[in-house]
């Protein structure tokens, strides 16, 4: 029988085996009567308590277990991956998390999808990205935004989601298996890091191909036409036909947004956020969060919010021990993002500091948000006619004080500038006052901090409108928007789950068609 035991604790400086004494006390079992593993574990650092780990653990035993309110039987229903009989091969556009997990479910269930990705396979993509960071030579088709794994490949690789959707467990199990990392299954805030994620992507690609999926890299969608036979997809590498098409576009697929809009695919504006990257000493964050116990714990993170004149200001995509990276995907525009390796052992921490924007900022057109992003990115590029990014110390930006700041990690280079000139007066005021408020509550955020501009790609500026029940486009039957770029997710796990939902809807519809 499987059981879950909640609210177990152990000291910060102890090993996981310290849970066993509490397991045996609660259950009445003896050593050797059971096996166990952590289901969830986090650090309890609430004020007024001795810092400790708190966990839920799963045990397997054939012995009788003492009744206790902390013990619950585990009856988890496995995710349905039973194959169906069909010759249909859906086309999935985009090999980010939504596209990859949509393709994985389709392939597992016998539909042998065709996956189209405009960028490179991850091995070649890494070379292109690193060359861009060193030389400033951008490949518009293969960069931090485009290529196998999507934008998340060059990130912290966070595997967190607020959703209680059980599909999330399936996502984590796949990452855990391919990364050979059990901690992904029990950490409250699991992450793989960009280095481990790249290895996972290679293994996932091989698994997809072994199941019959067909993957085409350097294959950019140029046009889509619907006729009585289904959809004709025109790419730079030739034409593809399919009954079912999944648009798992990234949030930076601007040319695809314009093409779909011209083809009459229903779309709408979506709020997003812009701002800066802030980086500060990781040691200061660790000490602020954990005090003297930080020497026993991995790099700490933070999450902060503020409200300024009805505008939300918040930190986002915090990267412990990470780097600020150049993330442009179009020539002539500067974009920043954050990235961490698995070890999170860099000297600096970084995060986005963002303010929410909507049609009141950039106008009413469906694609007005895209043009607003472009305007900012090109404005910064024009400062030096290069992909160098402007920086300013947080103390200078907030208070006009010249104090020491961390060394910037951004490549291909930085230059000092007045960051108050980047955004409109309204947005700049919100960012300034929001940062001041967060800094008063969490001084480690501001002390020795450096701001790098601009962060513009926090999420998609559009939503490809779909029916809430069928998940099909409301204007085009058998066309399925999915993931972050389509406006239905944010982050690796939520995008992956959305891709899985779309795959399930395609399978359900095809099964009904075959049955009838």
């Amino acid at each position: 029988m499987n059981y879950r035991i909640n609210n177990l604790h152990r000291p910060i400086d102890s090993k996981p085996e310290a849970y066993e004494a509490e397991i045996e006390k609660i259950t009445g079992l003896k050593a050797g009567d059971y096996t166990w593993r952590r289901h969830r574990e986090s650090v309890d650092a609430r004020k007024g308590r001795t810092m400790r780990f708190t966990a839920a653990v799963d045990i397997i035993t054939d012995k009788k277990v003492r009744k206790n309110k902390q013990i619950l039987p585990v009856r988890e229903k496995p995710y349905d991956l039973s194959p169906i009989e069909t010759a249909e091969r859906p086309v999935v556009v985009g090999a980010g998390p939504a596209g990859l997990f949509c393709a994985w479910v389709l392939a597992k269930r016998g539909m042998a999808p065709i996956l189209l990705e405009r960028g490179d396979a991850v091995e070649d993509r890494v070379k292109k990205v690193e060359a861009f960071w060193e030389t400033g030579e951008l490949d518009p088709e293969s960069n931090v935004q485009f290529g196998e794994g999507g934008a998340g490949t060059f990130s912290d690789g966070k595997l967190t989601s607020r959703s209680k959707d059980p599909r999330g467990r399936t996502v984590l199990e796949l990452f855990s298996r391919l990364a050979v990392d059990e901690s992904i299954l029990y950490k409250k805030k699991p992450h793989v890091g960009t280095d481990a994620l790249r290895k996972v992507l290679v293994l996932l690609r091989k698994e997809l191909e072994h199941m019959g999926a067909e993957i085409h890299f350097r294959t950019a969608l140029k046009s889509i036409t619907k006729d009585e036979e289904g959809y004709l997809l025109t790419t730079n590498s030739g034409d593809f036909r399919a009954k079912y098409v999944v648009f798992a576009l990234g949030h930076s697929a601007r040319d695809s947004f314009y093409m779909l809009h011209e083809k009459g695919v229903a779309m709408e504006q979506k709020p997003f956020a812009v701002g800066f990257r802030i980086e500060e000493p990781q040691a200061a964050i660790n000490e602020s969060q954990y005090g003297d116990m930080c020497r026993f714990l991995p790099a700490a993170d933070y999450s902060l919010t503020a409200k300024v004149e009805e505008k939300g200001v918040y930190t986002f995509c915090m990267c412990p021990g990470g780097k600020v990276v150049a993330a442009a995907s179009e020539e002539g525009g500067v974009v920043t993002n954050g990235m961490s390796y698995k070890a999170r052992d860099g000297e600096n921490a970084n995060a986005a500091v963002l303010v929410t924007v909507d049609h009141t900022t950039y106008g009413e057109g469906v694609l007005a948000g895209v043009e607003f992003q472009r305007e900012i990115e090109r404005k910064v590029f024009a400062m030096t006619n290069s992909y160098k990014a402007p920086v300013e110390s947080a103390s200078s930006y907030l208070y006009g004080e010249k104090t020491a700041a961390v060394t910037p990690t951004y490549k291909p280079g930085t230059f000092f500038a007045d960051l108050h000139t980047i955004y409109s007066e309204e947005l700049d005021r919100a960012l300034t006052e929001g940062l001041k408020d967060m800094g008063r509550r969490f001084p480690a955020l501001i002390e020795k901090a450096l701001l790098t501009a601009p962060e513009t790609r926090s999420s998609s500026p559009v939503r490809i409108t779909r029916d809430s029940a069928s998940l099909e486009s409301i204007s085009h039957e058998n066309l399925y928007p999915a993931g972050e770029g389509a406006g239905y997710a944010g982050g690796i796990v939520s995008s992956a789950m959305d891709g899985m939902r779309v795959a399930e809807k395609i399978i359900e519809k095809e099964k009904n068609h075959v049955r009838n």
Side-chain angles (χ1 to χ4, degrees):
M1 187 72 180
N2 294 8
Y3 298 93
R4 182 161 298 149
I5 308 175
N6 295 302
N7 298 317
L8 299 183
H9 308 286
R10 66 180 175 94
I12 289 294
D13 57 354
S14 68
K15 294 182 178 180
E17 288 73 21
Y19 290 126
E20 293 176 359
E22 201 168 355
I23 290 171
E24 291 162 18
K25 179 180 178 182
I26 292 169
T27 63
L29 298 172
K30 298 178 181 178
D33 287 346
Y34 64 95
T35 59
W36 70 279
R37 70 175 187 176
R38 286 170 281 187
H39 174 73
R40 187 71 75 234
E41 183 178 61
S42 60
V43 175
D44 184 351
R46 287 175 288 181
K47 290 182 179 180
R49 296 190 178 201
T50 301
M51 192 178 299
R52 59 188 180 175
F53 285 108
T54 184
V57 305
D58 290 344
I59 67 169
I60 301 175
T61 182
D62 57 4
K63 304 289 186 181
K64 186 176 180 180
V65 172
R66 181 184 297 155
K67 289 184 178 180
N68 188 297
K69 63 181 180 180
Q70 282 181 258
I71 305 172
L72 296 172
V74 177
R75 298 185 181 92
E76 294 179 344
K77 185 178 179 181
Y79 184 69
D80 184 9
L81 292 171
S82 57
I84 67 170
E85 293 293 332
T86 180
E88 293 291 342
R89 303 190 70 187
V91 168
V92 179
V93 182
L100 288 170
F101 274 80
C102 180
W104 184 78
V105 172
L106 291 170
K108 276 281 188 182
R109 301 198 64 181
M111 291 197 77
I114 299 169
L115 186 59
L116 308 182
E117 169 54 50
R118 69 190 302 165
D120 285 311
V122 69
E123 301 94 331
D124 293 327
R125 184 185 178 197
V126 168
K127 294 175 184 176
K128 296 282 181 63
V129 169
E130 291 180 347
F132 171 54
W133 291 342
E134 293 298 327
T135 68
E137 295 180 7
L138 174 69
D139 182 342
E141 295 299 330
S142 192
N143 44 63
V144 168
Q145 308 295 348
F146 302 147
E148 189 175 23
T153 302
F154 296 92
S155 70
D156 180 56
K158 290 179 178 63
L159 299 178
T160 52
S161 172
R162 295 175 183 174
S163 171
K164 301 298 183 183
D165 191 323
R167 295 176 185 86
R169 187 69 179 180
T170 302
V171 174
L172 294 182
E173 286 172 353
L174 182 60
F175 273 106
S176 176
R177 172 168 62 83
L178 296 181
V180 194
D181 183 354
E182 185 185 3
S183 72
I184 288 171
L185 294 174
Y186 64 77
K187 283 186 175 179
K188 183 179 180 180
K189 298 179 180 180
H191 85 114
V192 289
T194 183
D195 46 345
L197 183 53
R198 298 169 193 177
K199 297 174 183 177
V200 166
L201 288 169
V202 173
L203 295 173
L204 180 54
R205 183 205 315 152
K206 292 179 179 177
E207 189 165 307
L208 283 167
E209 291 174 334
H210 179 73
M211 292 188 293
E214 190 178 304
I215 305 174
H216 297 262
F217 294 109
R218 300 298 295 196
T219 303
L221 180 66
K222 299 300 181 183
S223 183
I224 182 169
T225 306
K226 192 177 191 306
D227 56 30
E228 63 277 4
E229 296 180 27
Y231 287 97
L232 173 67
L233 292 88
T234 302
T235 78
N236 62 315
S237 300
D239 294 342
F240 297 83
R241 276 202 167 275
K243 177 180 177 181
Y244 305 105
V245 177
V246 179
F247 277 116
L249 307 171
H251 58 44
S252 296
R254 293 167 172 173
D255 54 349
S256 297
F257 296 151
Y258 275 88
M259 182 273 290
L260 294 174
H261 185 52
E262 290 172 2
K263 291 289 184 178
V265 175
M267 300 171 67
E268 57 189 339
Q269 280 191 356
K270 187 180 75 62
F272 57 103
V274 297
F276 308 122
R277 274 274 148 185
I278 186 168
E279 57 183 329
E280 58 281 299
Q282 181 64 53
I285 302 300
N286 295 343
E287 187 174 349
S288 179
Q289 296 287 59
Y290 298 140
D292 291 341
M293 300 304 288
C294 67
R295 66 186 186 278
F296 297 110
L297 295 166
D301 63 4
Y302 57 79
S303 178
L304 300 161
T305 62
K307 195 84 169 179
V308 180
E309 299 176 2
E310 301 306 312
K311 283 195 171 293
V313 181
Y314 60 97
T315 62
F316 174 74
C317 187
M318 194 273 170
C319 298
K323 299 178 180 180
V324 178
V325 299
S329 59
E330 290 183 338
E331 293 179 336
V334 175
V335 185
T336 67
N337 202 353
M339 183 185 84
S340 297
Y341 294 102
K342 176 66 176 176
R344 288 178 166 176
D345 56 359
E347 291 186 6
N348 293 356
N350 77 79
V353 178
L354 303 173
V355 56
T356 303
V357 294
D358 58 21
H359 66 97
T360 61
T361 300
Y362 48 75
E364 296 295 340
V366 170
L367 297 166
V370 173
E371 291 306 317
F372 175 71
Q373 291 174 327
R374 275 181 170 154
E375 181 182 351
I376 297 166
E377 294 162 13
R378 290 172 176 174
K379 177 181 180 180
V380 173
F381 184 89
M383 290 179 172
T384 63
N385 199 34
S386 76
Y387 295 99
K388 291 182 179 180
V391 298
E392 184 176 12
S393 70
S395 61
S396 173
Y397 176 75
L398 297 176
Y399 305 110
E401 300 173 353
K402 302 293 184 181
T403 58
V406 296
T407 302
T409 53
Y410 178 97
K411 292 181 178 181
T414 60
F415 62 96
F416 289 97
D418 179 2
L419 297 191
H420 290 291
T421 66
I422 304 298
Y423 297 106
S424 68
E425 182 179 344
E426 179 188 28
L427 297 183
D428 183 68
R429 182 169 60 253
L431 288 165
T432 302
E433 296 305 316
L435 261 174
K436 285 180 179 178
D437 181 33
M438 290 187 282
R440 282 189 288 268
R441 290 180 281 120
F442 190 60
L445 178 72
I446 303 301
E447 295 169 1
K448 296 186 178 180
L450 185 76
L451 299 173
T452 308
E455 169 100 7
T456 51
R457 311 279 184 93
S458 60
S459 66
S460 181
V462 300
R463 178 174 288 114
I464 305 174
T465 319
R466 71 188 187 189
D467 180 80
S468 59
S470 70
L471 305 188
E472 290 174 282
S473 163
I474 63 171
S475 60
H476 287 65
E477 185 182 10
N478 293 337
L479 192 157
Y480 294 82
E484 186 167 349
Y488 294 97
I492 292 173
V493 173
S494 63
S495 294
M497 290 191 296
D498 197 59
M500 294 169 72
R501 290 187 202 100
V502 164
E504 292 160 18
K505 292 297 183 180
I506 293 172
I507 292 163
E508 179 184 343
K509 189 168 188 179
E510 181 61 15
K511 284 172 69 176
N512 289 337
H513 172 75
V514 172
R515 190 180 299 123
N516 295 330

